[in-house]
Structure formats: C-alpha cells, structure tokens
Amino acid sequence: MEKKEIFTQIHNIESQAGNLHEQLGELKLVVKQLLEENKRLSMENQQLRRVLRRESMPQEQHEPAEAVNQAVAKSSKVPVIHPEAMANAASAIVGEGHDNLARLYHEGFHICNVYYGHLRTEGDCLFCLSFLNK
C-alpha cells in the first residue's frame, strides 16, 4: 500500500465514524423525546384513571354532600369568611403547589425556569433544587 492509499482509507474511516456519531446523536434525541412522551402519557393515564374512579362512584355517596351544600346555601345568603380561615386556605394552596412541584421533580422532571417540563436525564438539577429550597 502506498502512503496516499493509507491516508485515503484513514480519511474514509474518519468520515464513517463522524457519520455514525451524528446518527447516534439523532437517535439519542429521538429516544429522549420518546421517554418524555411516555412519562407524560403515563401521568395523564393515571390522572384519567383517578377521574374515572371518582365519577364511577355510586351517586349515593355524592347526594348527601350535595344536600348539605344546598341546605347551607338556602340558610345563609352571604357566606361569612373569617380572616384566619382565608389565611389558612391561602397557605394550603401555596403548600399544595409546592408539593406538586416537588412531586414532579421527584418523578424526574425539571421544575426550574430553564428546563421546565423536560425529563431530567443527568441526575439532580441545581436550579430545580434551589427553587425547591426557597
């Protein structure tokens, strides 16, 4: 073999390796997108199952609560809300949102403003952790 043929073969091998690397990168992106979609669909499926269970409960369980609500509505036209109750309700809503974000993070999703909603593939995210610790 001559020197020129050797360099030609090396160049061909390098270009094949580059093409292979590019194809692997594209496949990696496709797999990542499929994993994110699978996780999203699994969560949506769980949510729909919960809704289905709630709606498929017998009507008898719903009727007493509705009767109580109607009786309360008839007896008092203007509800009286105490400031303490409002503060407790507001803190419960904030706590619930924080809990939901923490749950999403522990399920493997970013909750930071940089990568919100993307699947965490490389371990913990410092942005997300700092957000949770606020």
Side-chain angles (χ1 to χ4, degrees):
M1 261 188 196
E2 290 185 31
K3 293 178 185 178
K4 187 176 182 180
E5 290 175 3
I6 293 173
F7 283 116
T8 304
Q9 280 186 330
I10 290 175
H11 179 69
N12 288 339
I13 291 172
E14 282 180 338
S15 65
Q16 289 174 351
N19 290 338
L20 181 61
H21 187 267
E22 185 178 318
Q23 289 174 351
L24 283 173
E26 291 171 359
L27 284 175
K28 184 179 174 183
L29 288 175
V30 169
V31 167
K32 181 181 173 186
Q33 290 171 347
L34 288 174
L35 287 172
E36 288 175 351
E37 182 180 14
N38 187 27
K39 188 69 171 179
R40 182 184 57 79
L41 290 173
S42 295
M43 290 172 53
E44 183 178 348
N45 193 6
Q46 289 174 352
Q47 192 78 334
L48 289 173
R49 286 175 195 248
R50 282 188 216 125
V51 169
L52 181 63
R53 272 190 233 120
R54 265 189 256 135
E55 290 183 5
S56 66
M57 289 187 335
Q59 286 295 336
E60 298 167 359
Q61 293 179 355
H62 293 293
E63 290 175 5
E66 291 175 9
V68 169
N69 289 339
Q70 290 174 354
V72 169
K74 288 179 183 176
S75 66
S76 63
K77 293 182 179 180
V78 178
V80 178
I81 300 174
H82 297 288
E84 297 166 355
M86 272 176 60
N88 289 340
S91 66
I93 292 171
V94 170
E96 181 181 344
H98 187 272
D99 291 344
N100 286 337
L101 287 174
R103 180 183 50 80
L104 282 174
Y105 180 77
H106 290 294
E107 286 178 359
F109 290 97
H110 282 278
I111 59 168
C112 61
N113 62 342
V114 180
Y115 300 109
Y116 183 80
H118 287 90
L119 192 62
R120 285 188 299 117
T121 56
E122 299 178 3
D124 289 333
C125 171
L126 294 178
F127 296 118
C128 294
L129 290 175
S130 68
F131 183 77
L132 280 176
N133 290 330
K134 285 185 179 179

